[in-house]
Structure formats: C-alpha cells, structure tokens
Amino acid sequence: MTKKVVFRADRIATMVESDAPYGLIENAAIALDAGTIEWVGKQRDLPARFADWEVDDFGGRLITPALIDAHTHVVFGGNRAAEFEMRLNGATYEEVARAGGGIVSTVSATREASENELLDSALPRVDALLAEGVSCIEVKSGYGLDVETELRMLRSARRIQQHRPVRIKTSFLGAHAVPPEFKDRADAYIDEICIPTLRAAHAEGLVDAVDGFCEGIAFNTAQIARVFDVARELRLPVKLHAEQLSNLGGAKLAASYGALSADHIEYLDAEGVAAMSNAGTIAVLLPGAFYTLHETQMPPVELLREQNVPIALATDCNPGSSPLTSLLLTMNMGCTLFRLTPEEALAGATRNAAKALGLNDTGVAAAGLRADLAVWDVAHPAELSYRIGFNPLHKRIFGGI
Ligand code: DI6
Ligand code: FE
C-alpha cells in the first residue's frame, strides 16, 4: 500500500541537471504520494499542504534516485565457471572451445532450461542488484538463438517483476551470435530466425527495444541494419553493442536509426561520437566486460564529454564477459578504470541510465516522477563510487514503498 509520506534527510542528491553538483539539496525533504514524488526541496521550504503528512526522518543519511541497470543479460542457463578455471589453468581458447566452452555453452544450457528454471536462476542475480538500491533492470534475450528459446528468455525476464518489486525492460537480442547450426551462414540466420523471432516476440508484447552485437565475431552493419529496419517498421527503439573489440561503424549505424544507446564503445572514433551526439544516442559504458577481458583500449570519455553525449554505466551482467551483479562496483570501476568523476558515475547509474532505456519518469528525484529512491548510510554521494565491495544501502523505496 502506498501512502503519503515526507522523508527528511541531511542531503538529497536529486541528480537533476543544475548548477549544484549532484543536484544536491542540504537539509532536504521529499514528499511522496501514491508512488509519485510530489515535492522536493529544503525542509524549511516545505509547503503547508504537507504539514500533516507522516514524516520519516533519515537524519544524516543520503537520499538518491534509485539506481537503474540499463544493460544486462541476467536471464541465461548454466554458468561458465569451469571455463574460467580452465583458462586460468593455462588452457588455450581452442581447448576451451573444444571442451564446449564460450557463448555456445550458454546457448546450449539456455535451450535446455525451462521458463521456470530461467526465472529461478535469474532471481538471485536480480536480488543482488536490488540489495544495492536498483529499481529498474534492462534484460536481453540472445542466448536462445532459436524462436522458442528467445521467446522463453523474454517471457522469463518479464515474469521477474511478478516475483520481485522491480521494473523490467526487455530488449530483443536475436542478433547476438550465430548459433552452431547456422555456422558460416549468418545472413540466413538473420532472415530465417532472427527477424521472424523479433516479429513473434513483438506480437506477444515482449519487446521494449531491439539490440544487436555488431562485431567481427558476430554481425556486420548490413546484417544489423536489416534487423533495425524491422524494428523501425514495428516502431520499436533500437540500441547496439558497438565498437567493443574493433571499430566497424556500429555506433554510427545505430545513431542513423535514432538509437537510444550504443553500448561498450571502447573502439569508438570521433566520427562515431559526433553521430551519437547529433542523434541524442546515450553512451553506455560497461567496465565489467573491460575488466574481465583485460581490455586496454579506453572508451573515448573525453570526446563524449566534449560532444555532450550523456554517459550511462551498467553491469552487462552475463556469464561470459561480465559475471558482475554489483552496480556500485560498476560505478567504482567507471571511476577507476575509465576516469569518470563520482558525479558522472552516479548520473550514469540513474539519470543517464533512464535515458538509455527511453524512460522519462525515473532516474532523477523531481516532482511528478516515480517515487523510486535509495537511502544510503553515507554522508556524501562520492562515497557510493569510492568504496570497493561495500554496500551502504539503508533502504530502497520502490513506487513509494
Ligand atoms: N558482448 C559481450 O561481451 C558479451 N555479449 C556481447 O554482446 C559476451 C557474451 C558471452 O560471452 O556470453
Ligand atoms: Fe552485453
């Protein structure tokens, strides 16, 4: 049951773009009614109409918008710990592949899993995110690579919100990898499986956005464009895994479709940044994959700043390149690995993460928006990015409760 309540705290980092760093308000109050923020400001300015509302005083704690994880693959079968161990015991890439490792092993495990099994195995990962104040998670398909399994992944993802107080946004990622049965026939896979599956998933109302993996080991820009043409026909927004391992011009292609985001982008060049800037495409940086893959090419953070491309940060939680379920650690990695400021890191996990999902009702603490908040046992918002592997969440507020 939602209720009318006024929270007080020494500080609210509203993350509203303003002259104040973090949109910070000291000696702050925030009024919530039926899951919506009614008012935010200084305690001494609280309008009289809130005077008789119940008050929750959080004292020296900090309130922020709830966090948003804008790029995950939390629904998948099995895990890849065995190949992680094999590699660290000296096995070569080929030996790992011959032992059935790599993305193909996750595809087999996902195909074998029922809808309930996929849901059950995703929930602990979701719980880890929620425990750090996350209110909204984007979840991709892409480990089925056949009609039935792609649909099953999306159905499982949508069902998460029946089991946990969280908002789920689903992205169709049929163009994630070429499945073994289509080896060397990527075009046929796009035409015979990926596009018909997208149409079926959309007809079932399972798709919020269409994603792809544009890379030498996945799909080229012409193949991605064929999928994006269908997305456009279905009036679905697009986003793209682009320039993760090389520069194929994926971000530029995505921008030409007005993409919500281009993600990874370590190898993005100035032309790609300019295209994203013109299209209003968000840069989603994924330091967990950078870390896991020992990547050394840094995303072009300075160019993104110069061209006013908003930067989001996400876990990329997946069994291969980023088995990461901490958005706070992701923020720390964004600062330490990519040299983001703590303010940029928090904006990346709130305001800009919302933009990367096309959501304008969340991501900042402002009147009229959803009452999704996090209350932290910290005095200053920089502490959220500064600590490594420590969770200072005091309370998560989802829809006002
Ligand atoms: N980029 C990645 O790093 C992952 N997917 C993607 O599009 C890899 C996924 C995996 O190895 O399971
Ligand atoms: Fe990803």
Side-chain angles (χ1 to χ4, degrees):
M1 256 265 296
T2 50
K3 55 178 183 181
K4 294 178 191 301
V5 63
V6 173
F7 293 159
R8 285 195 205 130
D10 282 3
R11 287 192 170 115
I12 297 182
T14 65
M15 301 314 288
V16 171
E17 274 174 287
S18 72
D19 291 340
Y22 302 93
L24 208 62
I25 301 173
E26 312 255 354
N27 302 313
I30 183 165
L32 314 179
D33 183 10
T36 303
I37 299 171
E38 288 294 312
W39 186 90
V40 194
K42 285 197 170 286
Q43 286 168 24
R44 60 159 194 258
D45 298 331
L46 187 73
R49 66 180 190 278
F50 303 113
D52 59 352
W53 287 22
E54 182 188 324
V55 172
D56 233 336
D57 194 335
F58 290 109
R61 298 191 172 97
L62 169 76
I63 298 178
T64 68
L67 305 187
I68 296 170
D69 196 348
H71 179 141
T72 87
H73 311 245
V74 291
V75 170
F76 58 82
N79 72 65
R80 310 243 284 273
E83 79 183 63
F84 176 74
E85 185 169 49
M86 267 180 82
R87 245 189 275 108
L88 288 165
N89 279 301
T92 64
Y93 183 81
E94 274 188 313
E95 284 164 339
V96 170
R98 249 185 281 120
I103 194 165
V104 174
S105 75
T106 300
V107 172
S108 322
T110 305
R111 286 177 176 179
E112 278 162 28
S114 69
E115 190 177 313
N116 284 339
E117 285 166 346
L118 288 175
L119 173 66
D120 287 347
S121 64
L123 288 177
R125 296 187 274 272
V126 168
D127 287 338
L129 293 170
L130 300 200
E132 291 186 343
V134 169
S135 65
C136 179
I137 305 173
E138 185 261 16
V139 184
K140 301 174 194 299
S141 69
Y143 286 116
L145 311 179
D146 62 27
V147 183
E148 269 319 308
T149 315
E150 286 292 305
L151 293 175
R152 199 158 72 244
M153 286 185 75
L154 293 169
R155 291 182 196 125
S156 299
R158 283 287 179 83
R159 279 177 60 201
I160 291 169
Q161 53 205 347
Q162 292 159 17
H163 296 262
R164 295 293 185 273
V166 66
R167 197 175 178 194
I168 299 292
K169 290 283 152 186
T170 47
S171 298
F172 174 75
L173 181 56
H176 189 198
V178 182
E181 63 275 18
F182 279 87
K183 192 174 180 314
D184 301 323
R185 295 191 299 131
D187 282 305
Y189 170 73
I190 294 286
D191 295 336
E192 293 166 29
I193 303 293
C194 183
I195 289 174
T197 308
L198 168 56
R199 291 186 186 282
H202 174 66
E204 214 180 299
L206 291 171
V207 185
D208 294 311
V210 176
D211 198 349
F213 187 20
C214 186
E215 195 55 68
I217 56 167
F219 298 96
N220 62 34
T221 49
Q223 290 157 346
I224 296 293
R226 294 220 302 281
V227 180
F228 282 3
D229 284 339
V230 177
R232 182 180 270 168
E233 179 201 319
L234 300 175
R235 299 179 186 282
L236 291 169
V238 302
K239 42 180 58 239
L240 190 64
H241 290 66
E243 275 73 76
Q244 181 188 3
L245 310 169
S246 62
N247 183 359
L248 295 187
K252 199 172 146 192
L253 173 86
S256 77
Y257 283 83
L260 289 173
S261 69
D263 303 35
H264 287 289
I265 61 167
E266 279 87 342
Y267 288 81
L268 185 65
D269 59 13
E271 198 186 330
V273 175
M276 288 175 65
S277 178
N278 288 332
T281 298
I282 309 299
V284 179
L285 304 186
L286 306 169
F290 178 95
Y291 166 89
T292 302
L293 300 175
H294 293 255
E295 183 55 68
T296 53
Q297 173 77 29
M298 289 267 278
V301 170
E302 204 45 56
L303 282 174
L304 295 169
R305 287 177 178 139
E306 280 167 18
Q307 300 272 328
N308 298 312
V309 177
I311 298 172
L313 280 172
T315 61
D316 195 16
C317 174
N318 76 63
S321 64
S322 190
L324 170 62
T325 46
S326 168
L327 198 49
L328 288 175
L329 180 54
T330 303
M331 287 161 59
N332 174 269
M333 287 174 162
C335 294
T336 299
L337 299 175
F338 295 161
R339 312 308 292 166
L340 298 184
T341 67
E343 186 181 356
E344 287 172 325
L346 185 55
T350 56
R351 184 179 70 232
N352 294 340
K355 288 184 187 165
L357 297 179
L359 300 175
N360 52 22
D361 61 354
T362 189
V364 296
L369 272 57
R370 284 175 59 97
D372 293 345
L373 303 169
V375 185
W376 307 94
D377 268 317
V378 307
H380 190 277
E383 288 177 57
L384 300 176
S385 294
Y386 156 70
R387 300 179 78 153
I388 305 170
F390 182 78
N391 180 6
L393 187 78
H394 172 70
K395 190 173 184 188
R396 191 186 75 116
I397 313 291
F398 181 72
I401 39 177

